[in-house]
Amino acid sequence: MSHHDKHIISQLRALVGTPSVSSTDPSWDQGNRAVIELLAGWLSALGFRTEIMDVSPDGQKANLIATLGSGPGGLVLAGHTDTVPFDEGRWRSDPLQLTERDQRLYGLGSTDMKGFFPIAIAAARAFVDKPLQQPLIILATADEESSMDGARALAAAGRPRARAAIIGEPTSLNPVRLHKGIMMEAIEVTGLAGHSSNPALGVNALDVMHELMSEMMQFRHQLATEHANSAFEVAFPTLNLGCIHGGDSPNRICGRCELHFDLLLTPSAAAAGVREQLQQRLQTLAHARGARIALRSLVEPVPPFEQPANSELVRLAEKLTGHSALAVGFATEAPFLQAMGMETIVMGPGSIDRAHQPDEYLELSQIQPCVDLLQSCIAHYCL
Ligand SMILES: [Zn+2]
């Protein structure tokens, strides 16, 4: 093992040992401030200018923008500092203690994606005493795994700006230029409750929901036909009916019923205004059945992401890796960075197949190729 690797591993040990779970479940949710401060310390010691941006009012959630060099243009190396929750009992070793075995580094966030930061820092180290023509920016965000509030705060502030951005989510070092968007929505049907003996005295929300679900399945079929995209493994938008709750008693006309679903949209489906189309169908049904139907978002949507195949960054990454850019099945902060005007791809060490599960690990063999790849990108954009 090189001196280089040892440095990377000791930094990753510190990051994994600093818990930063983000979750929509308040009993799990933690801040990421301590991780941000570790990174800021290491980067300022290298000569980066560091700026910590509070994401939550108490500052326990924060983003870091660390900049080497100045001026317009340049390259952003970006990642999230939070992890998902974990099942401690199902790990072979302590998830918060980096453990090396079988040429792998085990630990919570080792691959998704605390491991990217020490590798990006190692890549940057080679440039600290070179005069950069354009800046190198290392960006660390909060709450990617829950609300994406860190990326939303950056997009709202319009910072950072650069020519290109690489998000180091685990892609086994393959460039990714496409993913679907995610919406999670609820539909509440309100009818009129009454005694079951005379259906005419009420409006049965379950009866309306039955029709509504047929409508949703038709809509799903329409989306799949009109917005298929063969770049994706699941080559069409999906609409999953996830759970339903309604009614209270067999002898009462059901007054209220609620359905939760998600929609994973291809870029063309999102651009077609799917939510408005669905809303229109629902209101037509509500009118016909004398019920109230309300559509509401359960979480803020994540837009789909598409970086054109012929853009400079995609071509550079394809040339450096020897792999064509792919589409993936998971969402990232890419649409938020791209919205600030940066060409954006997702490309990082480790496999997404290891993420979000017990015994998450990063293969040691991913480290040096990732350092080399990032150094080529930095040289292209910053020298
Ligand atoms: Zn991730």
Side-chain angles (χ1 to χ4, degrees):
M1 184 175 305
S2 67
H3 171 72
H4 213 59
D5 279 0
K6 279 196 186 129
H7 208 82
I8 290 172
I9 291 168
S10 83
Q11 286 186 338
L12 182 54
R13 177 165 291 118
L15 295 175
V16 167
T18 308
S20 54
V21 171
S22 86
S23 173
T24 51
D25 175 350
S27 70
W28 267 109
D29 196 43
Q30 299 175 315
N32 69 325
R33 182 88 186 190
V35 174
I36 290 292
E37 283 175 354
L38 272 177
L39 292 171
W42 297 332
L43 286 161
S44 60
L46 281 181
F48 279 75
R49 296 187 308 285
T50 59
E51 182 195 338
I52 295 178
M53 172 195 280
D54 287 351
V55 173
S56 66
D58 65 1
Q60 286 310 303
K61 310 260 192 185
N63 296 326
L64 170 69
I65 304 172
T67 308
L68 187 69
S70 58
L75 176 67
V76 172
L77 302 178
H80 62 83
T81 56
D82 58 321
T83 71
V84 290
F86 55 99
D87 307 307
E88 186 152 17
R90 294 180 53 213
W91 281 69
R92 280 181 57 197
S93 52
D94 182 349
L96 298 177
Q97 173 139 20
L98 194 74
T99 306
E100 193 180 330
R101 62 172 187 269
D102 310 329
Q103 299 296 304
R104 295 166 175 171
L105 298 170
Y106 288 86
L108 179 68
S110 54
T111 194
D112 186 15
M113 59 171 286
K114 289 178 170 176
F116 178 69
F117 290 106
I119 293 174
I121 291 169
R125 201 181 295 276
F127 295 85
V128 292
D129 42 19
K130 295 204 169 83
L132 298 185
Q133 300 300 309
Q134 299 188 32
L136 169 62
I137 299 162
I138 293 185
L139 177 65
T141 65
D143 279 0
E144 189 272 348
E145 298 287 7
S146 50
S147 59
M148 299 225 181
D149 280 353
R152 292 179 204 281
L154 292 167
R159 307 196 42 229
R161 289 192 188 275
R163 230 162 96 211
I166 297 171
I167 300 178
E169 293 273 8
T171 67
S172 305
L173 300 177
N174 292 304
V176 164
R177 64 171 193 88
L178 202 62
H179 66 62
K180 290 179 186 174
I182 300 180
M183 294 165 58
M184 292 191 193
E185 303 279 317
I187 298 175
E188 183 182 7
V189 175
T190 311
L192 181 63
H195 196 282
S196 62
S197 58
N198 187 350
L201 294 181
V203 176
N204 191 312
L206 279 167
D207 286 8
V208 177
M209 185 59 85
H210 172 79
E211 283 185 62
L212 190 154
M213 285 167 68
S214 305
E215 191 78 23
M216 297 281 282
M217 287 187 271
Q218 270 177 35
F219 188 54
R220 168 162 71 192
H221 183 73
Q222 180 193 324
L223 288 175
T225 315
E226 292 176 359
H227 299 289
N229 185 329
S230 62
F232 292 100
E233 186 181 344
V234 178
F236 47 85
T238 57
L239 189 168
N240 177 62
L241 305 179
C243 69
I244 189 163
H245 297 282
D248 47 38
S249 175
N251 59 356
R252 256 163 59 84
I253 295 169
C254 172
R256 203 189 144 269
C257 184
E258 185 162 308
L259 172 71
H260 292 189
F261 64 101
D262 78 356
L263 263 169
L264 272 56
L265 295 178
T266 56
S268 79
V274 161
R275 201 170 187 282
E276 293 67 32
Q277 290 181 39
L278 181 60
Q279 183 67 274
Q280 239 170 36
R281 285 181 176 241
L282 296 179
Q283 292 324 310
T284 305
L285 178 64
H287 193 75
R289 294 291 165 257
R292 197 163 62 80
I293 302 182
L295 174 66
R296 72 169 195 279
S297 299
L298 292 167
V299 295
E300 284 274 302
V302 179
F305 160 64
E306 180 167 22
Q307 181 64 44
N310 61 3
S311 48
E312 180 189 4
L313 178 60
V314 171
R315 292 192 164 192
L316 174 71
E318 288 182 335
K319 194 180 86 183
L320 292 172
T321 61
H323 293 287
S324 303
L326 307 168
V328 287
F330 54 92
T332 72
E333 296 170 322
F336 300 100
L337 298 193
Q338 192 189 37
M340 289 186 259
M342 297 182 272
E343 289 194 358
T344 303
I345 59 168
V346 184
M347 181 171 72
S351 165
I352 195 71
D353 299 341
R354 302 275 75 82
H356 297 201
Q357 59 191 291
D359 296 328
E360 174 182 351
Y361 64 80
L362 175 67
E363 282 162 6
L364 282 171
S365 63
Q366 291 272 290
I367 292 178
Q368 193 56 47
C370 187
V371 172
D372 296 342
L373 179 58
L374 294 179
Q375 285 181 338
S376 301
C377 295
I378 297 168
H380 177 91
Y381 281 101
C382 304
L383 286 185

